[in-house]
Amino acid sequence: MKAATSLIKGGWQLAGGHGPVDRAAALADMRAFVDAGITAFDCADIYTGVEELIGEFLRTVPPGTVRVHTKCVPDLDQLDTLRPETLATTVERSRARLGVAAIDLVQFHWWDYTRGDYVAAARALAALGARGLFTRLGLTNFGVTQLNALLAAGVPVATHQVQYSLLDRRPAAAMAATCQAHGIGLLCYGALAGGFFHERWLGAPEPTEPLENRSLVKYKLIIDEAGGWARFQTLLRTLDRIARAHAVRIGAVAIRWVLEQPGVQAVIVGARHAGHLKSTLAACSLVFTSDERAEIAACLAEMAVPPGDVYELERDRTGPHGRIMRYNLSTS
Ligand SMILES: NC(=O)c1ccc[n+]([C@@H]2O[C@H](COP(=O)([O-])OP(=O)(O)OC[C@H]3O[C@@H](n4cnc5c(N)ncnc54)[C@H](OP(=O)(O)O)[C@@H]3O)[C@@H](O)[C@H]2O)c1
């Protein structure tokens, strides 16, 4: 049994690119997540309008009800000249949008290690935490080499947010062990592959562009890296058999698998609405049999792992993963 606290409500799906956002419905959904025991919300300075929306929700609940995890994602165009004051302005802006005295977690991202000084920036950010602007410092999408450089520089890293799923097992290579060795919890996104781990894709033909939303565009590329649509269908059939045996949905099986990986502290579940909440919660109580674990492992053995360290593919701005990203959203 895992507690609902090992699940985090993701906020990117409310930032645009996933259909219109109905503010009243989004606020009611937040309440549904909290009532279900999911009391950590992930967002970012660059998720347009989401910090404000969470701030609006926070005003309706007693202080301390929700832990907010935001991010500090300096623009690519700022990296060469980034100053500590700019980081301070960004964090202050997040605080104001959220309406909190101290943010629970600020997760630091750096687009390009060849630009500017990410170690100096992380130290400057940590100093803002020490001043009380936020409680814990996390990272997102760092490589093992750069994580080690930050640790060597004395940056206090509490968590690391990375993509980790049945389709993307890159963290298992070295990142998970590195984080475990330093007491850094992995907070994992992509567990549902943006909605691909759902019955509606079982037996469905390979989707072609244009895909319905930004998540599907992003994770279809990961399906391709993991061996393509036919192998994904084999995996889905396996997950569906397991889901049926436990009277849960495919999504619950996909989330549970990630929750069980060494080093994983929590799974961040993207939510455009609360419609999948029951299935999401079912991941907490699901227990695989040893045969089921073996079935999943056999399926994964036939699939590829996307190459490189976590987020290495995505760092190539000329490649398919990097081309779909937006790099200058913090100040725009
Ligand atoms: N650090 C980063 O670079 C980064 C990158 C991406 C995301 N994130 C964070 O992670 C969060 C999650 O995003 P993600 O990209 O990882 O998406 P995800 O969780 O893999 O997929 C989310 C989508 O899956 C569907 N879904 C939700 N619950 C489900 C369930 N129980 N069963 C089946 N399908 C379900 C929904 O799609 P439908 O509504 O269409 O059914 C939802 O929009 C984001 O909101 C954000 O906070 C961080």
Side-chain angles (χ1 to χ4, degrees), residues 67-141:
R67 276 170 293 120
V68 181
H69 300 180
T70 195
K71 304 188 190 78
C72 175
V73 184
D75 284 353
L76 176 66
D77 289 350
Q78 285 184 317
L79 298 187
D80 290 323
T81 54
L82 190 68
R83 298 172 56 79
E85 302 82 68
T86 310
L87 292 168
T89 305
T90 303
V91 177
E92 289 288 12
R93 185 182 59 186
S94 292
R95 255 190 356 156
R97 287 171 174 170
L98 292 164
V100 295
I103 302 165
D104 295 282
L105 180 72
V106 171
Q107 301 158 107
F108 179 56
H109 175 94
W110 198 259
W111 290 115
D112 186 340
Y113 303 130
T114 69
R115 305 267 300 266
D117 186 342
Y118 66 89
V119 176
R123 291 178 74 156
L125 195 55
L128 298 175
R131 264 177 45 199
L133 272 63
F134 56 87
T135 309
R136 293 180 306 149
L137 178 65
L139 303 175
T140 180
N141 300 323

Side-chain angles (χ1 to χ4, degrees), residues 51-283:
E51 287 181 327
E52 290 90 334
L53 202 53
I54 293 175
E56 198 173 329
F57 178 70
L58 294 183
R59 289 194 288 281
T60 69
V61 291
T65 304
V66 171
R67 276 170 293 120
V68 181
H69 300 180
T70 195
K71 304 188 190 78
C72 175
V73 184
D75 284 353
L76 176 66
D77 289 350
Q78 285 184 317
L79 298 187
D80 290 323
T81 54
L82 190 68
R83 298 172 56 79
E85 302 82 68
T86 310
L87 292 168
T89 305
T90 303
V91 177
E92 289 288 12
R93 185 182 59 186
S94 292
R95 255 190 356 156
R97 287 171 174 170
L98 292 164
V100 295
I103 302 165
D104 295 282
L105 180 72
V106 171
Q107 301 158 107
F108 179 56
H109 175 94
W110 198 259
W111 290 115
D112 186 340
Y113 303 130
T114 69
R115 305 267 300 266
D117 186 342
Y118 66 89
V119 176
R123 291 178 74 156
L125 195 55
L128 298 175
R131 264 177 45 199
L133 272 63
F134 56 87
T135 309
R136 293 180 306 149
L137 178 65
L139 303 175
T140 180
N141 300 323
F142 271 75
V144 168
T145 306
Q146 293 74 22
L147 168 60
N148 281 326
L150 293 177
L151 293 172
V155 176
V157 181
T159 58
H160 190 196
Q161 183 175 141
V162 296
Q163 185 177 162
Y164 202 169
S165 75
L166 285 154
L167 294 169
D168 183 356
R169 290 171 284 148
R170 286 177 289 181
M175 182 57 76
T178 306
C179 285
Q180 271 187 304
H182 294 278
I184 299 167
L186 288 177
L187 309 183
C188 304
Y189 65 87
L192 291 158
F196 274 114
F197 281 121
H198 188 276
E199 284 71 7
R200 81 176 172 113
W201 294 103
L202 189 63
E206 181 164 3
T208 49
E209 289 180 12
L211 290 158
E212 234 168 80
N213 60 52
R214 289 201 66 210
S215 285
L216 297 183
V217 172
K218 176 181 168 79
Y219 292 104
K220 175 62 173 59
L221 294 173
I222 296 296
I223 291 175
D224 296 344
E225 298 287 351
W229 194 250
R231 295 231 187 269
F232 174 60
Q233 284 297 321
T234 307
L235 175 62
L236 268 190
R237 283 195 295 275
T238 301
L239 302 185
D240 183 49
R241 271 198 307 278
I242 296 170
R244 285 169 186 276
H246 293 271
V248 300
R249 309 277 289 176
I250 288 174
V253 178
I255 294 170
R256 180 71 197 195
W257 184 88
V258 179
L259 282 175
E260 292 198 351
Q261 301 315 299
V264 171
Q265 182 175 313
V267 166
I268 310 165
V269 177
R272 294 191 297 137
H273 49 74
H276 297 294
L277 188 51
K278 190 171 162 230
S279 157
T280 297
L281 285 171

